Amino acid sequence: MNQKEQALQLSKQGKSIREIAYQLGIGKSTVARWLQEKSRKSTAIQTNNADPSIQLEMRKMELQHELELKKLAQQEKELEMKRNQSIYQDRSKSIELRKILLPIQKWAFLQLKLMDRYPDGAIPCTYQDILNMQGQLSRYEETLSDYVRIHQLDEWDDCLDILKELIAKTEEWLGQLDQMRDSASPFSSDSDENWDDADDFEDYEEDFNQDSDENQDCSYSWKVFEADLMYLEEILG
């Protein structure tokens, strides 16, 4: 009987690795390796001799485990794709929003710059200037409102509120100008009024002609308008 067989026999008798190595005069690592090899062979023999139904069940468990791993890998891949898609969509939204906000910001900055050039914050303008301003503000408000509603960007409500206030202010100015013009009663050639009043009316009418370049004083609440513009510039900046 060689040393390896002796070591296995002593192990069956309950001897420890240290005792076997001391008795045979060999290293403990050698004894441990022989015993491990014996253990692996025994396990393999037991597996080969196991009940076929048990082997089948074990194989099913292995396949199920592999399938679960594949599912987890696929889910992780889908999550990564969704994360990347979300990042791309957010970046696209940001670009689209900047395209909408940039003209508004430039317009607000220009109006503030014009106000600085004239005393009391008044900008020389005509009825048509105010009408153009109202149209521009309405287009800005409509475009931004649609975008904010579609993408549910509630944080831009303040900006929309300011645009609406500015539009309301231009409507007020146009109403004031219309009222001034309407307050000048038209001269009728069939009336008993003194013909001298005709000259006075013509002068008055020209002062409030909506298309006249001489109508330069738009001092109606420009300070309120300027305050709203400054807040709008702050939001957009």
Side-chain angles (χ1 to χ4, degrees):
M1 183 182 297
N2 58 35
Q3 286 185 320
K4 185 175 182 180
E5 292 175 346
Q6 291 177 4
L8 296 175
Q9 186 64 33
L10 291 172
S11 176
K12 290 181 181 180
Q13 295 174 6
K15 301 290 184 178
S16 65
I17 293 177
R18 183 176 61 79
E19 291 173 337
I20 296 172
Y22 177 77
Q23 184 173 338
L24 297 179
I26 56 179
K28 290 184 290 183
S29 60
T30 301
V31 177
R33 186 176 70 254
W34 288 344
L35 296 180
Q36 288 175 357
E37 290 175 357
K38 177 62 177 178
S39 177
R40 285 196 294 269
K41 289 180 180 179
S42 298
T43 301
I45 292 173
Q46 291 176 0
T47 301
N48 292 333
N49 294 333
D51 189 330
S53 62
I54 296 177
Q55 291 182 342
L56 180 61
E57 189 65 27
M58 291 180 64
R59 182 56 182 163
K60 287 182 179 179
M61 293 175 62
E62 290 176 358
L63 293 174
Q64 184 66 27
H65 181 65
E66 292 176 2
L67 182 60
E68 291 296 330
L69 290 177
K70 289 181 179 179
K71 286 183 178 180
L72 289 174
Q74 182 63 27
Q75 290 175 358
E76 182 63 28
K77 184 177 180 181
E78 291 176 356
L79 286 174
E80 183 65 22
M81 290 177 63
K82 289 181 179 179
R83 283 194 292 267
N84 293 336
Q85 185 178 10
S86 177
I87 292 173
Y88 175 78
Q89 289 176 346
D90 290 342
R91 187 179 295 116
S92 298
K93 290 179 183 178
S94 178
I95 293 174
E96 291 177 13
L97 184 59
R98 282 200 297 271
K99 288 180 179 179
I100 296 174
L101 298 179
L102 185 59
I104 305 176
Q105 186 177 25
K106 287 183 176 180
W107 182 87
F109 178 78
L110 176 61
Q111 301 310 310
L112 289 171
K113 191 174 181 180
L114 289 173
M115 285 180 179
D116 291 337
R117 295 182 181 179
Y118 301 98
D120 299 326
I123 302 176
C125 58
T126 65
Y127 187 97
Q128 188 61 43
D129 291 330
I130 300 176
L131 197 62
N132 292 340
M133 180 183 290
Q134 182 190 53
Q136 187 64 62
L137 284 168
S138 297
R139 286 190 290 272
Y140 288 150
E141 191 274 334
E142 182 180 359
T143 302
L144 183 58
S145 179
D146 288 343
Y147 188 85
V148 167
R149 176 178 52 80
I150 293 172
H151 298 288
Q152 300 179 346
L153 304 176
D154 296 338
E155 63 271 21
W156 288 100
D157 286 347
D158 285 351
C159 183
L160 288 171
D161 289 342
I162 292 297
L163 288 173
K164 290 175 182 178
E165 288 180 15
L166 293 173
I167 293 171
K169 184 59 64 177
T170 58
E171 290 175 350
E172 179 184 340
W173 294 338
L174 292 173
Q176 290 175 357
L177 287 176
D178 287 334
Q179 187 176 6
M180 290 179 188
R181 296 183 64 225
D182 293 341
S183 65
S185 301
F187 175 78
S188 174
S189 61
D190 298 329
S191 69
D192 296 332
E193 296 182 26
N194 191 313
W195 278 91
D196 292 337
D197 293 340
D199 294 334
D200 295 336
F201 171 73
E202 289 176 358
D203 293 339
Y204 185 79
E205 185 183 42
E206 184 176 354
D207 288 340
F208 296 99
N209 184 351
Q210 65 180 20
D211 298 320
S212 173
D213 292 335
E214 295 180 7
N215 176 24
Q216 296 293 308
D217 185 15
C218 297
S219 59
Y220 326 100
S221 305
W222 272 114
K223 286 298 182 183
V224 178
F225 195 80
E226 183 178 17
D228 286 342
L229 273 180
M230 292 177 69
Y231 183 44
L232 177 62
E233 176 70 7
E234 181 180 341
I235 295 175
L236 296 175

